[in-house]
Amino acid sequence: MSSHKPQKPATKTVTAGRKASLTGPVVNVPVWRASTHLYENVAELEAGKARNEDGRFFYGRRGSPTQWSLADALTAMEPGAHGTMLYPSGVAAIACALLSVLKAGDILLMTDNAYDPSRSLADGFLKRFGVETRYFDPRTTDYDALFCDRTRAILLESPGSLTFEMQDIPAICAAAKKRNVVTLLDNTWATSYFHTALDKGVDMAILSCTKYIVGHSDVMMGSVTTHDKLWTKLRQTAQQLGQTVSPDDAYLASRGLRTLSVRMKAHETSALHIARWLQTQANVATVFHPALPDCPGHDIWKRDFTGSSGLFSFIHTGDAATAAAFVDALQLFGIGYSWGGFESLALPVQPEKYRSVVAWDKPGTLIRLQIGLEDTDDLIADLGQAFNGS
Ligand SMILES: *Cc1c(COP(=O)(O)O)cnc(C)c1O
């Protein structure tokens, strides 16, 4: 049933990763639990050692058809990609992607709005192993000034997951390519469904699958998708570090992927509706959502992305205690980390703690919302009663 016509993203989320020869003639890939491959004889055992490719079961740590099916599906979502490695969390994916390209003496450039654990990896682990990290303003346009002879890699995140600055990914990647600098993008906010990364020039597209791919707040997982030039390095690093995900988790992530398109569209519509409502509220100073025309970076979002997800933030005009009382008063929104599941979440955030080069000194208190799949009338009623009470 394979077709040579390029499929639209929503079709890919449904069809990609199905391979009857590997997973059987069924819609959903079976959960293939296995550590040990039994060989017919010693010659077969010896022959197996030389093979390191998907489609040949070797040993559980290298995955089974359940994990390969998910990895293939994520690869298919990124035009120009050669393969995808899976990791037990998004943080493990970021760490292994960086470790597969960096060595002692290298300089890593990191956007100043990067996810906090990415910064802590750079400032702790990578520093101990001789890699220096330099942070840069996510909105810089002077790309050439970023690089020096020791620059080896650049970690991007667009939009940032607290303050939602957009980066000009194609321009940064073009500047990096001229200097042989590897570009890595944390693409968790949009996923490859709303933003394909490799065709914009990114070398490694990283996802915390824990968020939208899994979509049901019940599995931790990460992925890195790359082209043929970096594939072997990425794969070897993951294998040397013993990175593996369970077939049960891979199954749940595959199951999540099949409904990604409808969930993303629902998150998008509801989040935009609520973001626009918040803009009319007296206790709201600013809403940070790149799909709003008055939000900085909107032009980049419009040019490069095909949609927006359910995560954005706004400044509550009150101080930290007032904003905490507002969040505490919410009944439908849970208070908690993570996002990308079906449930709405709210959280006061303090970006000033995670900045090196661009200070965050806006008055008021930043609150991040993840808009889930509840009815927006109910969510707005909940936000309204919390504003009235705080
Ligand atoms: C959550 C998150 C991660 C890390 O993912 P985990 O699966 O929680 O380890 C990485 N990047 C961003 C932007 C995230 O929000």
Side-chain angles (χ1 to χ4, degrees):
M1 277 204 300
S2 74
S3 126
H4 295 290
K5 245 184 154 177
Q7 294 182 337
K8 302 269 191 191
T11 309
K12 285 186 196 169
T13 63
V14 171
T15 60
R18 270 197 235 158
K19 204 195 263 178
S21 61
L22 209 57
T23 59
V26 288
V27 175
N28 291 301
V29 53
V31 179
W32 229 78
R33 291 193 192 88
S35 60
T36 299
H37 184 299
L38 295 175
Y39 294 92
E40 290 289 320
N41 50 48
V42 173
E44 273 294 302
L45 176 84
E46 288 302 319
K49 285 184 193 166
R51 300 175 187 144
N52 184 7
E53 58 197 271
D54 292 346
R56 291 177 193 275
F57 184 74
F58 174 74
Y59 179 58
R61 201 183 326 103
R62 289 190 187 171
S64 74
T66 318
Q67 291 97 327
W68 301 334
S69 170
L70 172 62
D72 284 353
L74 294 173
T75 303
M77 298 291 296
E78 275 288 346
H82 180 81
T84 297
M85 290 307 290
L86 302 173
Y87 304 87
S89 69
V91 166
I94 295 166
C96 288
L98 288 171
L99 289 172
S100 65
V101 296
L102 291 168
K103 62 177 185 327
D106 286 345
I107 290 175
L108 165 67
L109 295 172
M110 191 179 293
T111 178
D112 205 28
N113 61 349
Y115 182 61
D116 172 32
S118 300
R119 298 175 62 101
S120 124
L121 170 79
D123 300 339
F125 185 94
L126 292 178
K127 191 172 171 207
R128 274 198 287 129
F129 283 79
V131 174
E132 182 189 331
T133 299
R134 293 187 184 165
Y135 293 95
F136 65 93
D137 182 342
R139 292 154 309 174
T140 187
T141 50
D142 188 5
Y143 307 121
D144 289 322
L146 297 175
F147 303 104
C148 71
D149 291 347
R150 284 167 53 214
T151 313
R152 177 74 188 118
I154 178 165
L155 179 66
L156 307 164
E157 191 175 321
S158 182
S161 66
L162 298 182
T163 43
F164 299 90
E165 299 88 348
M166 296 297 299
Q167 303 186 304
D168 192 336
I169 302 288
I172 299 175
C173 289
K177 208 142 276 166
K178 277 196 284 179
R179 295 177 176 257
N180 266 336
V181 171
V182 178
T183 49
L184 305 96
L185 172 68
D186 184 333
N187 201 26
T188 302
W189 183 80
T191 76
S192 43
Y193 182 68
F194 278 153
H195 179 247
T196 48
L198 268 60
D199 60 2
K200 310 285 189 316
V202 169
D203 293 309
M204 290 190 175
I206 304 169
L207 292 177
S208 165
C209 299
T210 309
K211 313 290 165 54
Y212 290 118
I213 304 298
V214 167
H216 294 71
S217 306
D218 51 4
V219 173
M220 301 293 300
M221 197 177 293
S223 68
V224 182
T225 301
T226 192
H227 47 62
D228 52 356
K229 289 192 200 74
L230 291 173
W231 171 244
T232 304
K233 272 190 180 169
L234 181 75
R235 181 176 191 133
Q236 281 176 347
T237 305
Q239 291 181 347
Q240 285 162 1
L241 291 170
Q243 298 294 305
T244 157
V245 305
S246 81
D248 299 80
D249 286 351
Y251 177 85
L252 288 170
S254 290
R255 185 173 165 133
L257 181 69
R258 298 309 183 205
T259 57
L260 183 71
S261 70
V262 283
R263 287 187 289 107
M264 290 302 270
K265 285 175 205 151
H267 287 298
E268 172 174 49
T269 308
S270 296
L272 272 170
H273 182 65
I274 290 172
R276 290 197 185 101
W277 177 81
L278 283 166
Q279 284 184 314
T280 67
Q281 297 304 298
N283 297 331
V284 174
T286 317
V287 178
F288 299 103
H289 187 315
L292 293 177
D294 47 356
C295 192
H298 174 72
D299 291 347
I300 294 176
W301 173 81
K302 210 170 156 185
R303 185 192 65 193
D304 294 345
F305 288 57
T306 56
S308 58
S309 69
L311 192 79
F312 66 95
S313 63
F314 69 93
I315 296 182
H316 190 299
T317 50
D319 59 12
T322 313
F326 163 78
V327 172
D328 284 349
L330 292 167
Q331 286 165 10
L332 206 43
F333 284 80
I335 305 173
Y337 294 112
S338 202
W339 41 282
F342 49 76
E343 78 290 5
S344 290
L345 297 168
L347 194 69
V349 288
Q350 296 162 305
E352 61 274 16
K353 289 191 175 166
Y354 314 115
R355 289 295 138 94
S356 308
V357 293
V358 197
W360 179 267
D361 49 14
K362 301 202 183 342
T365 307
L366 194 67
I367 292 177
R368 189 178 77 176
L369 297 180
Q370 128 83 8
I371 304 302
L373 304 179
E374 304 90 341
D375 193 294
T376 49
D377 287 349
D378 292 332
L379 292 172
I380 285 176
D382 194 27
L383 292 163
Q385 65 79 23
F387 277 131
N388 292 333
S390 65

